[in-house]
Amino acid sequence: MRRDTFLRSLAALAAAGALPLSARASANLKMMIPANPGGGWDSTGRALGKALQEAGAASVSFDNKGGAAGAIGLAQFVNANKGDANAMMVMGAVMLGGIITGKPPVSLSQATPIARLTSEYNVFVLPANSPLKTMKDVIEQLKKDPGSVKWGGGSRGSTEHIAAAMIAREVGVDPAKINYVAFRGGGEATAAILGGNVTIGGSGYSEFAEYITTGKMRAIGVTSEKRLKGIDVPTLKEQGVNVVIGNWRGVYGANGITAEQRKALTDMVVKATKTKAWGEALEKNGWTPALLAGADFEKFVDDEFASLRAVMAKSGMI
């Protein structure tokens, strides 16, 4: 085959999305981040984008669209990217909870599972100048007057929202009475906590780590089974509150892509998780690597939907 004919054929295949991502030097990957800047999904998406470029992607662009536990971004992603093998969306446990509580007109079944990336547990914090000092103090106030304790965190249905409801139920308070203040992104929630506009805040540990380290926030409990390695914060369980709930984040592709395109995208994401850039992001943010790809990830999401729905029903959230 003549060289010019070969190059024209290569270009045609690339335009049709038939080549693996690594072979599409002109590929411009698009990353939907269904949250405002400054939170866990934002940092995950941008860290993955950097790793994807190190793994061979030509470029990665980002689009933040916060609100409704990711449902607004999900809707835009589904409607704008059908069949686009270069499109990806960050998601996680928070989105599942939001779909269960909010019942949006779009669902994850309208997108393509690619891979789970990380897992981490939530931490609850108090503003540094709070008159409350411990989780015991928070619980005592909650029992006296549930509405006086303002819980700040991500969208309704987020893991910190579920954890707050679980805590209330465990200590004998009607979960329906908790005063939960939902924010569209981690940056907004952090500002509210630092400003003393909420009583207690919750999120993934990585989002609050720098403020805990500098003394601007006081960490009073983590939602893990055992204490997190290298982090001197008691679990809720060891404080007599039997609540354990984890958070995780992953990535989906667009609806309507072929099996070959899905495999190419999955292979590229898996390759990205082996880069130096991704390793540095894991260490910097304290994320636990939890790679799960393809059909195994798809089954995991289905199981998580069922598990979260059961927990939320038990806690009076649905």
Side-chain angles (χ1 to χ4, degrees):
M1 182 184 293
R2 289 177 53 188
R3 183 175 182 274
D4 57 346
T5 304
F6 171 76
L7 290 176
R8 283 198 299 271
S9 299
L10 190 67
L13 285 169
L19 287 175
L21 286 172
S22 57
R24 281 183 259 155
S26 61
N28 178 26
L29 301 181
K30 300 182 295 183
M31 184 81 68
M32 163 58 71
I33 301 173
N36 288 355
W41 282 351
D42 186 59
S43 56
T44 300
R46 292 177 189 278
L48 179 60
K50 183 177 180 181
L52 283 164
Q53 287 185 280
E54 187 176 317
S59 64
V60 183
S61 61
F62 304 95
D63 185 10
N64 287 81
K65 187 67 65 175
I72 294 175
L74 172 61
Q76 179 172 311
F77 181 76
V78 166
N79 294 329
N81 296 289
K82 186 174 182 179
D84 188 346
N86 289 342
M88 286 183 287
M89 178 189 69
V90 179
M91 50 74 68
V94 171
M95 184 174 283
L96 272 59
I99 289 172
I100 293 169
T101 57
K103 301 178 178 61
V106 291
S107 73
L108 272 173
S109 64
Q110 294 171 270
T112 303
I114 300 297
R116 184 183 68 189
L117 299 169
T118 64
S119 68
E120 69 176 333
Y121 289 96
N122 289 99
V123 62
F124 282 105
V125 299
L126 299 171
N129 61 354
S130 172
L132 306 176
K133 304 301 179 185
T134 65
M135 182 58 76
K136 181 181 178 182
D137 293 341
V138 173
I139 290 171
E140 287 179 356
Q141 182 65 30
L142 186 67
K143 288 179 176 179
K144 290 178 185 175
D145 182 2
S148 69
V149 178
K150 294 174 68 174
W151 302 77
S155 302
R156 299 190 67 81
S158 64
T159 49
E160 56 266 30
H161 184 197
I162 297 170
M166 293 171 73
I167 290 169
R169 182 180 180 277
E170 283 293 315
V171 302
V173 174
D174 182 355
K177 293 183 178 180
I178 65 170
N179 183 4
Y180 186 80
V181 183
F183 295 95
R184 291 166 64 94
E188 294 178 10
T190 297
I193 297 163
L194 294 174
N197 297 317
V198 295
T199 309
I200 179 172
S203 189
Y205 186 87
S206 63
E207 293 185 45
F208 293 158
E210 66 174 289
Y211 304 103
I212 294 170
T213 302
T214 57
K216 294 179 180 179
M217 293 181 183
R218 182 184 299 112
I220 59 172
V222 292
T223 62
S224 53
E225 183 74 35
K226 298 178 181 179
R227 287 200 183 201
L228 303 179
K229 184 178 180 181
I231 297 172
D232 186 25
V233 181
T235 66
L236 295 175
K237 282 192 73 172
E238 70 182 85
Q239 298 181 75
V241 184
N242 187 26
V243 170
V244 175
I245 184 169
N247 194 8
W248 56 268
R249 300 186 183 106
V251 64
Y252 264 53
N255 189 25
I257 60 176
T258 67
E260 291 77 14
Q261 289 170 334
R262 179 182 181 183
K263 183 180 185 304
L265 195 58
T266 302
D267 289 347
M268 190 64 158
V269 169
V270 171
K271 184 179 179 183
T273 64
K274 298 176 181 177
T275 62
K276 180 181 178 182
W278 185 250
E280 289 173 347
L282 291 176
E283 184 175 354
K284 175 187 175 183
N285 293 290
W287 295 333
T288 300
L291 183 64
L292 191 67
D296 291 337
F297 176 51
E298 188 168 1
K299 182 180 184 303
F300 168 80
V301 173
D302 289 342
D303 292 344
E304 276 286 283
F305 259 120
S307 176
L308 279 175
R309 186 176 284 108
V311 168
M312 293 166 79
K314 185 178 180 181
S315 299
M317 294 180 67
I318 56 175

